[in-house]
Each structure stands twice: as C-alpha cells, then as structure tokens.
Amino acid sequence: MNTMTNPVASPQSAVLTEAYEFLRLRHHETGQPGLTRRWRDVRAEITATGTWRHTTDELTYGARVAWRNSARCIGRLRWQSLQVHDCRHASDANAVRQALTNHLHRATNGGRVRSVMTVLPPVPQEGPAPVRIINPQLVQYAAWPNSGTVLGDRANLNLTRLATTLGWAGPPERGPFDMLPWIIATDDGRLHALPFDQAAIREVPIHHPQHRWIGELGLRWPAVPVISHMLLSIGGVQYPAPFSGVFMSSEIAARNLADADRYHQLPAVVNGLQLADDDRLRQDKALLVLQEAVLYSYDRAAVTITDHHRESEHFARFVRREEAAGRVVVGDWTWLNSYPMTPQDPSWGRYYSSLTLRPALYPDPAASAFPAAAGSLCPHSGSTATAAEPDNQRAAPSTAAVVYPLTAQEEQ
C-alpha cells in the first residue's frame, strides 16, 4: 500500500494504478481467486470511462480497510465488524434523507450502538458530486446569539447561520439543544436544508449518581456520533460516506460540554461542587465528575459508550494483531493520546507510522470549503478537536520504542 496525499479526482493513469493496488490487496488479504479476470474488466472500464464501479463486496472490504487505515482513530480494533450500506443509488435529496435516517436507526440499534458506514454516489472525475453533506456530524445542536452570549453549541454558529439562510427557523422556543437540519449540496449547485425524523435520533440526558444538581443543568448528548462530511477513497474512486462509531466519554465530558467555545459547563460544575478558588486541581476534579456523569447516564440509558482507558487497551490489541499480520500501523500520536489519556495507558508509550495508506477516509474538501464545515474529525469518537500540523505535533515519550507483545491467546 503506497502513500496518497490527495483525495480529489485522479487522472486516468492514477486511477488505473490505485485500482490495481486495491484489487491486488483485496485478493491477497481475502484469498479470493480471480484477480487477473477482475483486473482485466476493471482496466477496460477505466480506459473507456475514466472510472470504475466497485462490487458491493469490494465496497465493503474497501470501507473496512479505510477505517483500519485511519491514523486519528483509536477505535480501529472493530474494523472488521463495520456495517457498510451501499446507497450509491441515493442521488436526490429525498433518497439521501432516507439513507441518513436508515443509518441512524441501524447505528443506534436500540442503544447497542454499532459502527456503520453509508456509501453515497461517487464523485465523478469531472464535475460536482450528485450529493455532498455539509454538516460535519449528522446530529449537531444550533447556536443562537443571545444578548451578547450564545445559547447552544458555540461551535455551530456558522452552521446555524447557513441553516437559517436556507429557510430553517428553528423551534418556536429556542433552547440550548435544538437539532440542526441536514444540509446537503446537489450537483445543480443548490443547498438544501433537509428536515429529519426526530424519532431516528436518540439523546441521553446527563445525570450523576451522587450529585443530583447535575441533572438540573439540563444537559444531554446524542447517542451516536455520525461523521458526515467524509470522503471514502477506494481504488481511485471517492464516495461521500457518513461514518459512525461509539462515543468516548471524555469527548463528551471534557470537550463538548466543558470547552469554553462549546457548552462551557465547567464553571457550573466547579460551583456545584463548591470547590475553593485556591484549589489548583478544581478543574480536574470537575472534569472527572462530568465524566462520571456521562458514563453513568449512558449506562443507565443502556446506550453503548466507551472510555479512554478501555480504548487504549483495545488499540494495543489492534496494534498487536496488525503487526502479527505483517501490516504497518499508522497513527497520529496527538489524537490517539488526547486528554485525559495518561502515560499508564498502553497507547501512550510508542510512535506509529506517519504514512497515509489507502483505502482511506478524508474530510471532503468541497464540503469543508463551507465555513460551517471546517475541521477534521475522528470517525470513532466524533472528536472535533483540531489536530496539530505535522511540524508542531506534540512529541511522543522517550519510551516510544516499546512494542505490544502478543498475548498467549493471540499467538494461537
């Protein structure tokens, strides 16, 4: 698998190269016969049209490997269980809305959250894609300017403005958790604000088992993170592909609810805990209580959630399996070890390859061109943190040479 630096449409020669590399990889890893015959057909199709059409099996395999290759995602142990839904027929607004609704139902799964990807029509070699999703995530809350402050999620001011210019008025009584419509672009150059089925979106009210006053803050969060402005690149063909995983508790508690440019709830928790101003660890204590509240609330609601210690252990297992299979493990250390990961977590103590492997997932440059949709995301946790540029990345520790030995069970 070679490096790839540009997810946009490729010249025919590059498509031929990437298509062959993908087919060879698939046949090598799956052991399926017929590479020569399949390559002959694909090469003729690319030569005639400039692109090619994957079978559903090829699409599923490519999507799963793209997740396996996602350097910023810590949840890749589950890559082989990804459910991939082929919606390449969904070329208009109504069909896209139905595909996204189905995605949410499948992913939520009554609370037993599953990792799901929905593949939409491909980006042509020339001209715009039939559909593109502008929202960075499918479930996001509006931001309403309110007497010098902001009611709602401050990160979504631009997205809220865009939605209102498209005719969305919001609810009659605005609140801090008003769900934004789905905004898509179609190949006629128009933007559409799509209404959605509220019943398809499950939310979790946030409470704490000891501190009842946390429930009185009225906080809640979606059950499932669906990253929705990504491109899936397989064999020289790119597809818009909404992708959902499982929330990590620290993302909700320590970032979405706590950050000053998000819901800024940390001062309220500090006050509720009556922590002294001279307590230099008061913010740490408040963040821990918020994490306790999030984990307790999702568990009480019977909605799948994970935590940073568990995911670090799972990632170590993923690395062992990949290296035992002879594959390079790519990883962005700054994303894999975000707060509150500690040096005691196994993902902390080593470097990972900085290669960009394909198949791959990328933020869609056309969708990201809208100010409302800026920022790269982790498909697993829904993280909206901005990653450092390569020259400014936080250095990994000096113990980076450590490896994860195979367990006895994994050696068998």
Side-chain angles (χ1 to χ4, degrees):
M1 293 182 288
N2 299 322
T3 60
M4 177 181 178
T5 58
N6 190 348
V8 300
S10 307
Q12 187 178 99
S13 60
V15 177
L16 284 165
T17 299
E18 292 181 31
Y20 180 71
E21 288 177 351
F22 169 72
L23 290 173
R24 184 176 59 180
L25 176 69
R26 177 174 178 266
H27 283 266
H28 170 72
E29 289 195 354
T30 65
Q32 294 186 0
L35 173 60
T36 300
R37 181 174 64 256
R38 179 59 177 149
W39 168 236
R40 182 181 64 240
D41 295 342
V42 168
R43 181 173 56 190
E45 186 177 0
I46 295 171
T47 301
T49 67
T51 188
W52 61 295
R53 182 174 176 84
H54 297 96
T55 67
T56 297
D57 286 345
E58 289 167 347
L59 198 69
T60 298
Y61 167 79
R64 289 173 175 170
V65 174
W67 185 14
R68 187 179 79 193
N69 291 339
S70 295
R72 291 176 169 177
C73 182
I74 198 171
R76 287 175 272 166
L77 179 65
R78 308 168 183 84
W79 69 273
Q80 290 173 303
S81 67
L82 176 67
Q83 292 191 6
V84 181
H85 295 278
D86 185 352
C87 291
R88 287 177 288 180
H89 61 278
S91 58
D92 60 56
N94 287 331
V96 170
R97 178 169 53 194
Q98 187 60 56
L100 299 181
T101 301
N102 291 342
H103 182 119
L104 283 164
H105 282 301
R106 290 167 177 145
T108 305
N109 189 33
R112 299 180 64 185
V113 177
R114 297 180 291 198
S115 298
V116 176
M117 185 182 295
T118 296
V119 182
L120 298 174
V123 181
Q125 289 297 311
E126 296 182 1
V131 291
R132 272 190 162 100
I133 302 173
I134 307 304
N135 308 59
Q137 298 193 43
L138 283 190
V139 187
Q140 291 181 285
Y141 298 115
W144 305 111
N146 182 33
S147 302
T149 63
V150 174
L151 179 65
D153 192 339
R154 293 166 176 82
N156 294 329
L157 276 168
N158 287 336
L159 191 61
T160 304
R161 292 191 188 106
L162 179 60
T164 56
T165 61
L166 294 173
W168 181 69
E173 294 186 12
R174 294 176 175 178
F177 294 97
D178 298 334
M179 291 184 194
L180 287 162
W182 298 332
I183 301 174
I184 69 165
T186 47
D187 55 9
D188 58 4
R190 297 178 59 196
L191 290 175
H192 310 261
L194 303 181
F196 54 83
D197 181 5
Q198 187 81 26
I201 299 175
R202 184 167 179 177
E203 297 173 283
V204 177
I206 305 301
H207 300 272
H208 192 281
Q210 282 83 45
H211 305 295
R212 296 185 62 181
W213 52 266
I214 285 183
E216 296 170 1
L217 296 175
L219 306 177
R220 61 179 184 263
W221 207 253
V224 180
V226 187
I227 310 306
S228 50
H229 71 331
M230 302 292 282
L231 279 182
L232 169 65
S233 180
I234 305 175
V237 183
Q238 285 77 42
Y239 304 90
F243 178 23
S244 60
V246 176
F247 267 121
M248 196 152 62
S249 59
S250 56
E251 170 59 25
I252 300 171
R255 303 306 310 272
N256 302 336
L257 296 179
D259 279 358
D261 58 354
R262 300 296 299 282
Y263 276 89
H264 196 34
Q265 292 297 303
L266 205 55
V269 179
V270 169
N271 290 337
L273 293 171
Q274 300 180 346
L275 299 174
D277 291 343
D278 60 356
D279 183 345
R280 290 187 286 183
L281 297 179
R282 63 187 181 277
Q283 290 190 331
D284 302 84
K285 295 174 182 177
L287 285 171
L288 179 59
V289 168
L290 260 182
Q291 286 208 73
E292 289 173 345
V294 169
L295 285 168
Y296 168 78
S297 300
Y298 277 67
D299 287 344
R300 188 174 77 161
V303 172
T304 305
I305 194 166
T306 189
D307 62 79
H308 53 290
H309 297 308
R310 177 180 298 176
E311 286 311 306
S312 187
E313 293 286 350
H314 286 180
F315 189 74
R317 195 186 312 169
F318 166 77
V319 172
R320 287 195 294 266
R321 290 181 180 179
E322 291 301 295
E323 291 179 340
R327 292 192 287 261
V328 172
V329 177
V330 296
D332 184 330
W333 192 92
T334 62
W335 279 62
L336 297 174
N337 295 287
S338 59
Y339 180 87
M341 208 74 75
T342 70
Q344 286 69 48
D345 290 303
S347 58
W348 184 281
R350 61 165 291 171
Y351 289 112
Y352 308 93
S353 172
S354 60
L355 289 174
T356 303
L357 306 178
R358 55 177 181 255
L361 286 160
Y362 300 89
D364 184 347
S368 299
F370 289 88
S376 301
L377 301 127
C378 168
H380 177 70
S381 69
S383 174
T384 54
T386 301
E389 293 300 320
D391 292 341
N392 299 315
Q393 285 183 354
R394 180 174 34 159
S398 59
T399 55
V402 69
V403 297
Y404 301 134
L406 288 174
T407 64
Q409 183 177 7
E410 288 168 332
E411 285 180 334
Q412 294 175 356

